Amino acid sequence: MSYVRKFFIALAMICITPVLLAEELSEKSIQQWLKAMPSLTGWLHQHQDALHSEHIMEESSDMEQVFAKSIKLLREKGLYADFNSLVREQGYQDVEQWSEVSRDISLAFIALQMDQEQITVAQLEEQLAKLEKTEGIPAEQKAMMTEMMQTSLMMLKSTQGVSQNNKQLVRQYAGQIERQFNAQNGAGEAENAAHDHHH
């Protein structure tokens, strides 16, 4: 599940809007998003210290809160206008519109992953209940496993409203979409390495 967790943190960084009803995606909207992502990802990496998302994840139990907090963070740090102008250059009305598309693509992508793993909400809830009753696991390890399962459960519940249309479209572009998410994780790691090197 570690891939999914890492992916989810990346998702929290890029999706910065409350979860509204999912829009229907189109090939055009996915292509536009793929084209826009490299420069937007670059900007997010430059400001990743200010927008560090781990603590947002830890305090939030559902995706609505994660997204709402992230957009609030952009405004609090005075970065909203800067990011918004970049987003508009890519053909979006504003950060909110771009993040809605990001959210729909991300949710459909996770839904496909979950379908492949054939995990159900009931199975995860059962595993979580078992884990809570299990004796003999060190507290720290147990807390980490519990958190991962709760995150997975939250993701699974969030993906239940994803339409077949969105899943089919995202499946066609799955490789490119995955590269974007990997680039997001990867660029951050490369930048950190370079940063450490200077000190």
Side-chain angles (χ1 to χ4, degrees):
M1 244 359 186
S2 66
Y3 161 72
V4 176
R5 171 155 174 77
K6 191 168 127 184
F7 172 76
F8 193 72
I9 291 164
L11 175 68
M13 254 184 73
I14 56 161
C15 295
I16 31 193
T17 182
V19 177
L20 307 164
L21 280 172
E23 302 281 319
E24 287 294 305
L25 292 166
S26 65
E27 283 203 38
K28 188 168 166 280
S29 65
I30 295 176
Q31 285 165 355
Q32 182 188 11
W33 183 85
L34 284 168
K35 197 166 136 277
M37 278 308 283
S39 59
L40 298 181
T41 302
W43 186 94
L44 288 167
H45 275 306
Q46 282 170 357
H47 300 90
Q48 68 182 353
D49 291 344
L51 300 172
H52 196 54
S53 57
E54 286 270 5
H55 64 284
I56 295 178
M57 291 293 301
E58 281 160 19
E59 293 160 16
S60 304
S61 61
D62 64 27
M63 290 183 76
E64 295 237 6
Q65 288 181 332
V66 172
F67 298 141
K69 282 183 187 169
S70 302
I71 217 155
K72 200 166 144 248
L73 200 59
L74 267 182
R75 292 184 188 282
E76 276 170 13
K77 303 280 183 182
L79 294 168
Y80 183 91
D82 190 19
F83 190 49
N84 198 42
S85 64
L86 190 64
V87 167
R88 290 177 71 137
E89 277 171 28
Q90 299 295 333
Y92 293 99
Q93 285 167 10
D94 51 27
V95 173
E96 283 80 0
Q97 191 202 18
W98 166 75
S99 52
E100 277 170 33
V101 175
S102 293
R103 182 204 65 227
D104 293 337
I105 289 174
S106 305
L107 281 178
F109 184 82
I110 297 170
L112 288 174
Q113 303 284 318
M114 293 291 193
D115 287 353
Q116 278 170 10
E117 297 195 23
Q118 297 182 318
I119 310 169
T120 65
V121 169
Q123 279 173 329
L124 271 178
E125 283 174 342
E126 194 184 324
Q127 285 177 351
L128 198 54
K130 267 191 202 152
L131 178 66
E132 278 161 11
K133 289 195 192 83
T134 307
E135 302 290 323
I137 303 176
E140 198 175 312
Q141 194 185 341
K142 194 171 185 175
M144 207 174 84
M145 286 166 72
T146 304
E147 190 203 351
M148 269 173 60
M149 277 195 194
Q150 284 168 340
T151 302
S152 306
L153 196 55
M154 173 170 111
M155 285 166 62
L156 191 52
K157 285 180 173 169
S158 304
T159 60
Q160 288 187 317
V162 176
S163 71
Q164 284 305 319
N165 167 69
N166 284 9
K167 281 198 220 178
Q168 279 168 345
L169 281 170
V170 165
R171 188 181 283 120
Q172 291 170 34
Y173 292 93
Q176 288 168 272
I177 291 167
E178 189 166 0
R179 275 200 294 280
Q180 283 307 326
F181 290 129
N182 289 341
Q184 225 175 334
N185 285 324
E189 282 155 23
E191 213 165 276
N192 289 343
H195 190 68
D196 295 342
H197 190 68
H198 285 303
H199 285 280

